[in-house]
Amino acid sequence: MSALYRQARPTTFDEMVGQEHVKEVLLNALRSGRLAQAYLFSGPRGVGKTSSARLIAQAVNCSSDPRPCGTCEGCRLVREGRHPDVLEIDAASNNSVEDVRELRERILLSPILSQHKVVILDEAHMMSKSAFNALLKTLEEPPPHVIFIFATTEPERMPPTILSRTQHFRFRRLSEAEIVEKLQRILAGLGREAEPPALQLVARLADGAMRDAESLLDRLLTLEGPLTLKQTEDALGLPPQEALFALAEALDKGQLRPALEQAQQLYTQGFAARTLAQGLLEALRAGLYGRMGLGTGPHLNQPDERLVAAMTALDEAQERLLKRSDAMSLELALLGAYQALHQAPTAPSAAATVAPPSIPDFDPRPRKLEARKEAPAAPTSTPSPGVADLASEWRRVMGALKMTIRGFVREAEPRFEEDRLVLLFPERASFHFQGAQKNLEDIQKAVREVLGLEQVELRLGGKKKLADEPAGNRANNLRAVTRPEGDRPDGTRSALRPEGDRPNGARAPARPEGDRPPGARSALRPEGDRPATPPPTEPPSTPDIAAPASAPIDALWEEPGLSLEGGPPEPEPWHPEAALFDPNPPDEALEETEGQPGLLEDPRFQKLIQLFGGRLRRFYPEAPREGALEAPAPESEGEPD
């Protein structure tokens, strides 16, 4: 024996409950013979999607008028599922490309008993993407005798290419009145009776789905006699409505103890804690609606706001009862509803009694500029009194410039001097300085719009520093040629810098003695600059080596023709003798010491001449030949070098 919802399936459009917007369009299409090649029916479960698809199949295969009649052979075969020209496919289990290929082959055959073939794809959203793509061409240009009908509860999962090729009808949920009417008609056909509250309870539990209501009614038909509300509640396992109304009224009146006792009694009778909380929520809702004249419910006296707060507390408790449904959780839900209904009004605090600050009048002037005028100037030297935050204002100026100009001034450091903005470029950013000079007008325009300053000055750090130095400082810088790098005030490098420290690995050739100005001291510390010291005990003989003439140590500062007006003099070129063979490192002070032998008399230097004479003379032409050093004194043969 089939289920009740299958027996009660409508056989004509007149028996179909609700969905008037769908029935009217389909009936007009049947009368005028303008059926579409594909339809899409979407909506919640149990609202008539598949039933409507079968009614269309009956109508195109019906031999009577009006169609469908529901009594002819064609309608009967469709209703029983035995019509050869009606294919009802479950897309949830036949969702592959092979199934679509088989369907395409079947629809190419002509109809057997009627003029049309109807293909009903139920749960169409379960088809795979490949299956939908395989069906696209057939759906766009189907054979003239084929009608496709898709039924789904999730139309958002259907591809847009399918939606654009179908006529989409959205089915709505059924109202409780429509469901009660259909249930009464079913009971009348079966010769049974039921109380209206019982049918209303069934319709409320169905939540707009006719199939769910028919399934619940099928369970109730096993009871004998007329269906009452109590029998319906007992059969469906629901708590008594009177008990829930009494519980709601007790909470409304503030009777907490009777309410807890009533809830405990219902829990011991076997009703779940979540079911009781849901029933109490519906009782409060019925009482609120009954006060508005929208139905019947318990008599409640609390304001609407308190009732809504209690319903919200019970609704939030539903989530907790899903994880833990015991007596303790039920009591916590009741206490939360009681607290919402009888929340004591809070006394106004001292802070609340204070009058709120009055809203100031609207001032069209920018507040930031006003703050600049009123705020006292900070005792700093760099910021201007007209600008509060130099960094943020400079970012605004950068944003007002073009990207090409912004790249030039990015290297500059902004400063304020009196009533003008100074952009200080470092020495390494000379290219950016020149680019900023070419675009000075645009920079001044941006500064004028953002900061309100008229003058903008560009400075290159090295040039400005040199121009501002007094003459005395320049003389001191000239003396720094022979000072170590750490002791110099301006951080310039020494002229006796090793070759690796020079930029690009440049190597300065040695200046011969004849090219130097008279009286000038060589930067290579020749032997004549050193005080005479007693020779070693047994030094090697160097008869062919002539020591250069010594010069006074301060001869450099008495050099004729040296002018301080054109900047510091060019430092002496670097010589490898000072970097490679000087016992003192280049970073140490080159102070003259007493009692130190000359370089040409140094045994270590003579050893280097014997080993690397030819290569050494490329850098130091004054080095003697190896033959002059081949006959050392016999006393020094055994001495280590």
Side-chain angles (χ1 to χ4, degrees):
M1 184 175 180
S2 61
L4 179 61
Y5 70 87
R6 296 186 59 185
Q7 298 177 14
R9 192 181 294 272
T11 58
T12 63
F13 281 104
D14 294 336
E15 297 179 3
M16 187 175 177
V17 177
Q19 318 302 340
E20 301 296 334
H21 63 290
V22 177
K23 291 192 301 181
E24 183 179 359
V25 177
L26 295 180
L27 286 174
N28 292 334
L30 288 171
R31 295 190 191 101
S32 60
R34 300 186 59 180
L35 286 174
Q37 62 185 11
Y39 291 96
L40 174 61
F41 296 160
S42 65
R45 68 184 189 279
V47 293
K49 300 184 298 295
T50 306
S51 298
S52 300
R54 290 185 179 182
L55 288 177
I56 294 178
Q58 292 180 25
V60 298
N61 292 281
C62 183
S63 57
S64 302
D65 194 20
R67 298 180 301 173
C69 64
T71 58
C72 66
E73 184 68 16
C75 294
R76 185 178 58 83
L77 292 176
V78 172
R79 189 166 59 251
E80 295 175 358
R82 297 187 295 111
H83 200 290
D85 297 331
V86 178
L87 305 178
E88 188 170 351
I89 302 174
D90 180 19
S93 56
N94 301 274
N95 56 4
S96 63
V97 178
E98 296 297 331
D99 297 325
V100 174
R101 290 176 180 173
E102 182 182 354
L103 175 62
R104 292 168 55 185
E105 294 176 357
R106 294 178 62 179
I107 63 177
L108 292 177
L109 301 177
S110 300
I112 299 176
L113 300 180
S114 61
Q115 298 180 356
H116 293 85
K117 274 192 172 183
V118 181
V119 180
I120 302 175
L121 294 172
D122 201 5
E123 302 297 331
H125 63 274
M126 299 296 293
M127 293 182 63
S128 63
K129 183 178 180 180
S130 302
F132 276 124
N133 294 334
L135 190 61
L136 281 180
K137 189 62 177 178
T138 304
L139 188 62
E140 184 177 3
E141 299 178 359
H145 59 271
V146 176
I147 299 176
F148 285 96
I149 302 177
F150 298 89
T152 177
T153 56
E154 301 179 20
E156 63 275 1
R157 295 179 57 181
M158 300 288 292
T161 52
I162 297 294
L163 296 176
S164 63
R165 290 168 169 82
T166 59
Q167 290 188 11
H168 189 185
F169 292 91
R170 298 182 182 272
F171 287 65
R172 62 172 178 81
R173 295 181 184 274
L174 301 177
S175 63
E176 295 183 6
E178 293 172 342
I179 295 177
V180 169
E181 180 183 358
K182 177 67 179 293
L183 295 181
Q184 289 176 348
R185 190 165 67 236
I186 294 175
L187 290 174
L190 297 176
R192 299 291 300 270
E193 295 180 358
E195 295 179 356
L199 297 181
Q200 292 176 359
L201 176 60
V202 173
R204 185 168 68 251
L205 295 177
D207 193 21
M210 180 62 72
R211 185 169 61 241
D212 294 0
E214 292 170 349
S215 299
L216 292 175
L217 182 61
D218 197 7
R219 292 170 55 183
L220 298 176
L221 289 178
T222 58
L223 302 176
E224 297 180 357
L227 299 179
T228 62
L229 179 60
K230 180 174 176 44
Q231 289 178 336
T232 303
E233 293 173 346
D234 294 341
L236 300 180
L238 301 176
Q241 189 177 33
E242 294 82 0
L244 294 175
F245 284 3
L247 181 58
E249 291 178 354
L251 289 176
D252 179 75
K253 296 176 182 179
Q255 301 173 356
L256 183 58
R257 179 174 178 179
L260 293 176
E261 291 177 352
Q262 182 71 17
Q264 185 66 27
Q265 182 180 0
L266 292 173
Y267 183 78
T268 54
Q269 291 178 5
F271 299 106
R274 188 168 183 269
T275 303
L276 293 175
Q278 180 66 27
L280 180 59
L281 175 60
E282 294 178 358
L284 294 176
R285 171 179 174 270
L288 181 61
Y289 281 20
R291 182 186 301 177
M292 301 177 184
L294 301 177
T296 60
H299 182 69
L300 304 178
N301 298 321
Q302 292 294 333
D304 296 346
E305 295 80 6
R306 300 290 181 87
L307 293 177
V308 173
M311 294 168 60
T312 304
L314 290 173
D315 184 64
E316 294 175 353
Q318 295 286 330
E319 300 295 333
R320 297 192 298 268
L321 291 173
L322 284 175
K323 302 178 181 179
R324 180 181 175 183
S325 182
D326 53 5
M328 180 67 71
S329 301
L330 176 61
E331 292 175 357
L332 289 177
L334 294 178
L335 292 175
Y338 175 82
Q339 184 179 7
L341 286 172
H342 303 279
Q343 185 176 6
T346 57
S349 59
T353 56
V354 178
S358 60
I359 301 176
D361 296 336
F362 174 71
D363 189 358
R365 294 177 301 173
R367 300 181 63 182
K368 195 169 186 180
L369 296 177
E370 183 179 356
R372 294 177 194 163
K373 297 178 181 179
E374 296 178 358
T380 57
S381 58
T382 55
S384 173
V387 178
D389 188 357
L390 177 59
S392 62
E393 297 295 338
W394 179 243
R395 284 194 294 268
R396 293 177 56 196
V397 174
M398 294 285 288
L401 294 173
K402 297 181 181 179
M403 185 167 295
T404 54
I405 305 176
R406 196 185 308 165
F408 292 128
V409 301
R410 192 182 299 276
E411 298 291 335
E413 178 185 356
R415 296 180 182 178
F416 285 102
E417 294 184 3
E418 298 179 354
D419 57 345
R420 65 181 182 274
L421 175 66
V422 178
L423 301 182
L424 182 61
F425 290 81
E427 295 181 0
R428 57 179 176 79
S430 59
F431 172 77
H432 300 79
F433 174 74
Q434 296 174 1
Q437 284 182 329
K438 297 178 181 179
N439 300 274
L440 182 58
E441 295 182 0
D442 296 336
I443 299 174
Q444 289 177 343
K445 180 180 179 181
V447 172
R448 187 183 307 111
E449 293 176 355
V450 177
L451 302 180
L453 300 178
E454 297 292 336
Q455 298 183 10
V456 178
E457 181 179 352
L458 306 179
R459 294 180 185 176
L460 187 62
K463 293 183 178 180
K464 187 67 180 177
K465 182 177 181 181
L466 185 60
D468 294 341
E469 276 185 343
N473 293 344
R474 296 184 195 173
N476 294 336
N477 290 340
L478 295 179
R479 294 182 179 272
V481 176
T482 57
R483 293 178 62 180
E485 184 171 344
D487 296 338
R488 296 171 189 168
D490 57 350
T492 56
R493 284 190 173 273
S494 170
L496 304 180
R497 155 169 85 176
E499 183 176 357
D501 294 342
R502 290 184 173 272
N504 301 329
R507 180 187 305 171
R511 175 186 288 183
E513 292 290 337
D515 296 342
R516 297 173 185 157
R521 182 168 61 97
S522 173
L524 301 180
R525 195 187 291 178
E527 181 183 2
D529 292 347
R530 309 175 187 270
T533 57
T537 307
E538 295 178 354
S541 61
T542 55
D544 298 336
I545 300 177
S550 62
I553 191 170
D554 294 334
L556 178 62
W557 317 121
E558 301 175 0
E559 181 176 349
L562 181 62
S563 174
L564 297 180
E565 299 297 330
E570 180 181 1
E572 291 292 335
W574 176 82
H575 200 281
E577 181 188 55
L580 297 177
F581 314 115
D582 198 343
N584 296 326
D587 292 338
E588 297 180 0
L590 302 179
E591 307 293 342
E592 299 298 333
T593 57
E594 299 292 337
Q596 184 175 0
L599 177 63
L600 298 179
E601 299 176 359
D602 195 336
R604 293 173 294 177
F605 182 68
Q606 296 177 5
K607 186 67 175 178
L608 290 175
I609 293 176
Q610 295 178 4
L611 296 176
F612 310 103
R615 297 180 183 179
L616 186 61
R617 275 189 299 275
R618 293 171 57 186
F619 304 99
Y620 188 61
E622 293 83 355
R625 297 286 180 178
E626 294 86 339
L629 303 176
E630 288 180 355
E635 294 81 4
S636 61
E637 291 181 358
E639 294 182 1
D641 291 337

